[in-house]
DNA sequence: GCGACGGTTCGGCGGCCGCCGAAGTGTGTC
DNA sequence: GACACACTTCGGCGGCCGCCGAACCGTCGC
C-alpha cells in the first residue's frame, strides 16, 4: 500500500467537523488568528477551540506560533490552503443555493473582491485574469503560462517574479473562483500581484475578514493598466455580529 | 459566508474514516468497483460497505451505476479524484516511514510504475516527464505547457490532443509523485499518453490494482522515443492476500 | 420454480467525539 | 504582589458513529 488509508482518514477528520471546518475557512484569509478570535468566530467556548487547535496542529493541518499569552495559528502551508479551498469548491458544488438575507449582503461584498489565501479573488480577481488573457499576457489558453509580454508587463510594474523552477510553486495557476465560476490568478505571480496592489494601496482591507476594497487610486490604476472597470457598490457596512450556531451544529454533522 | 462550514465538514467526513478512505484510494485507479469487491478489499462486512457507499454517493463523492445485481461505484469526477490524491499526498507528507516488509515488496512494484487515476505515475511516469522536459517538449520550466515541438511529438505518435480551451481540463499538468517526489505528467495529455501506451501494449496491468508492467515492446518504444531505460525488477509476484485489519482500525481513527 | 448470490435494511452494541463548566497555569499590567 | 487575561486541563454528559448478525429483497442460472 503506497499510502495508508489510516493517515488519509486521520487527516480528513481534521476538517470533518463543522467547527474545525469553519476554522479552516477563516484561516483561508492567509492571516494568523489567535485561539480566542477563532473561538468567538466559530461561536464555541474557549476550551473547545483550544482542543480543536491542538488537534489540528498535531495533525499537521495548522502551524502555530506562541507569543506571550497568545497562541497564533495559520494553515500549515500553501498546499494545505489549496486543499481547503478545493474541498470548499467541491463541497459547495452540489449545494442548493440556500442562503440567508444577511448572507447575501455579506457575500455581495465578498463576491466583488476578496483575498483567497495569498492572491486576489472575486470579480476583481476574475476580471484581472480575463484582462490579462485578453492582452496576451497569459498564454496557453488555460492561462497556465506567462507569455514574454506578460513577464514584461510584470517587470514594468516593478514586480520581480521568481524564476520558474521545476518542483517549486507554479508561476501562474488558474484557480476557479467560488462566486464567479471563472478563473482568477493564483500561483506565485498572483501572490506577487496582490502584494504589489497592497503596497501601492490600490486595495485596502474590507470590513470583514478576507473582504477587500478597491481604493480610488486602485480604481484608476486598474483602469489604466488593464482597462478594468471596478465600480464599487459603496454601501455602508453593517457591523459584524456573532450569531449562535449551537443548534445548527448537530443537524449539520449528519450526512 | 461565501461557503458553508457545514458542507465542508460534511464532505470531509466522507473521507474521514479509515474504511471510506481505503475505498477512495482503491478507486484512484480510475476503475469502477463493485460493492462486494470493496468490502473484501477493505476487510469489512457487506452491510458496512453498503452503508459507506450509500453515504459517499449521497454526499457527492462517488458516482454509482447499478447493473443487474451489481452496484458499481467510481469517484465522481476528475476533480474529486484530484482531491483524494492531494489529500493522500498531504496526509502522507509528515508520516514516519513505518512500513511492513510485505508493504515494501508491494510498494516497490508500485513505485516502479502505476496508474494515477487516468495517467501514468511511479518512476515510469516521472522518467517520462523528465525526458519530455529534457527534449524541450514541455516548456515553461514547471512543465505546465506543451511546446510546439511537444505538440508535434504527440502528433507523430498519432495522438489527437484536445484543443486547449479555457475552463476545460488543462492540457498538461505536473502532478507530484507520491513515491518519487518528482513530477509526472497529468492533464489531458497525460491521460491521452496513457491510453496510447495501453493501446499499443507498451504497458500491461500488473498483479495488484493500480500496478502496471512495462512490456518488452514498451521497453523498446520508451528507449527509442525518449531514451528511457525501463529495466524491470522481474521478480515473481506474490499472490494477493486479504489481511484482517479490524484491530488497527480503532487505533487509527484517533488523532 | 429453486437455490445461489450480491446487495440492502434493521436492531443493537461498544466506543469515541464534541461540548461545556470549573479549576489551573502562565503572562502581562498596574 | 495583586489582578486581569489568554489559554489549557480535567471530568463528565449526551449523541452519533461504525460495526456486525440476522433477516430480507432482487437478479441470475439451472
Amino acid at each position: 500500500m503506497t499510502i495508508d488509508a489510516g493517515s488519509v482518514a486521520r487527516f480528513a477528520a481534521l476538517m470533518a467537523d463543522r467547527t474545525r471546518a469553519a476554522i479552516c475557512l477563516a484561516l483561508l484569509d492567509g492571516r494568523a488568528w489567535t485561539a480566542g478570535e477563532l473561538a468567538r468566530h466559530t461561536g464555541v467556548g474557549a476550551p473547545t477551540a483550544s482542543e480543536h487547535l491542538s488537534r489540528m496542529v498535531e495533525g499537521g493541518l495548522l502551524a502555530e506560533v506562541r507569543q506571550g499569552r497568545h497562541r497564533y495559528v495559520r494553515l500549515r502551508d500553501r498546499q494545505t490552503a489549496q486543499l481547503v479551498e478545493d474541498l470548499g469548491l467541491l463541497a459547495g458544488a452540489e449545494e442548493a443555493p440556500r442562503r440567508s438575507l444577511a448572507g447575501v449582503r455579506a457575500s455581495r461584498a465578498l463576491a466583488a473582491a476578496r483575498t483567497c489565501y495569498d492572491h486576489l479573488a472575486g470579480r476583481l480577481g476574475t476580471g484581472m485574469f480575463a484582462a490579462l488573457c485578453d492582452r496576451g499576457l497569459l498564454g496557453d489558453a488555460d492561462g497556465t503560462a506567462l507569455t514574454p509580454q506578460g513577464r514584461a508587463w510584470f517587470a514594468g510594474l516593478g514586480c520581480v517574479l521568481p524564476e520558474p523552477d521545476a518542483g517549486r510553486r507554479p508561476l501562474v495557476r488558474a484557480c476557479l473562483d467560488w462566486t464567479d465560476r471563472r478563473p482568477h490568478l493564483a500561483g506565485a505571480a498572483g501572490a506577487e500581484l496582490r502584494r504589489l496592489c497592497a503596497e501601492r494601496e490600490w486595495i485596502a482591507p474590507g470590513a470583514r475578514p478576507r473582504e477587500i476594497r478597491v481604493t480610488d487610486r486602485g480604481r484608476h490604476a486598474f483602469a489604466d493598466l488593464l482597462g478594468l472597470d471596478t465600480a464599487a457598490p459603496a454601501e455602508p457596512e453593517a457591523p459584524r455580529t456573532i450569531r449562535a450556531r449551537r443548534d445548527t451544529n448537530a443537524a449539520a454533522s449528519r450526512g
Side-chain angles (χ1 to χ4, degrees), chain A residues 21-242:
Chain A
I23 290 174
C24 287
L25 292 176
L27 292 174
L28 261 190
D29 71 352
R31 294 190 307 123
W33 293 47
T34 69
E37 284 172 337
L38 287 170
R40 279 186 298 278
H41 177 77
T42 56
V44 98
T48 305
S50 176
E51 281 163 14
H52 281 310
L53 295 184
S54 296
R55 199 169 153 182
M56 293 163 90
V57 168
E58 168 74 18
L61 189 61
L62 305 185
E64 73 177 3
V65 177
R66 300 202 180 230
Q67 219 169 79
R69 55 183 173 179
H70 291 281
R71 175 200 221 177
Y72 289 95
V73 294
R74 56 172 177 79
L75 292 170
R76 192 179 66 178
D77 51 26
R78 266 198 314 277
Q79 286 77 23
T80 309
Q82 184 67 51
L83 184 79
V84 171
E85 207 173 341
D86 291 345
L87 191 64
L89 188 62
L90 277 177
E94 296 297 282
E95 291 298 309
R98 49 172 171 75
R99 27 174 61 180
S100 68
L101 264 75
V104 170
R105 264 185 69 84
S107 65
R108 191 151 26 157
L110 282 170
R114 67 177 184 279
T115 55
C116 172
Y117 197 53
D118 64 359
H119 50 273
L120 298 172
R123 278 195 305 281
L124 175 63
T126 59
M128 290 180 79
F129 186 89
L132 290 169
C133 278
D134 285 352
R135 286 158 193 253
L137 308 180
L138 294 180
D140 203 35
D142 325 24
T144 53
L146 199 61
T147 61
Q149 296 92 312
R151 194 165 265 281
W153 186 83
F154 272 95
L157 285 174
C159 257
V160 278
L161 293 178
E163 271 311 300
D165 182 12
R168 293 239 352 263
R169 182 182 198 186
L171 195 55
V172 297
R173 207 177 64 78
C175 175
L176 189 58
D177 200 89
W178 285 347
T179 47
D180 230 24
R181 297 296 169 103
R182 294 187 302 151
H184 60 241
L185 185 66
E192 190 58 25
L193 189 56
R194 181 217 175 172
R195 198 195 51 72
L196 184 99
C197 288
E199 185 180 279
R200 309 215 171 157
E201 296 182 352
W202 293 346
I203 58 174
R208 274 171 291 255
R210 298 193 64 191
E211 195 177 301
I212 61 178
R213 189 170 49 81
V214 177
T215 63
D216 286 339
R217 195 189 294 189
R219 217 174 313 288
H220 291 130
F222 293 137
D224 289 350
L225 283 168
L226 293 166
L228 211 59
D229 177 22
T230 49
E235 57 177 347
E237 282 307 332
R240 54 189 293 201
T241 56
I242 311 289

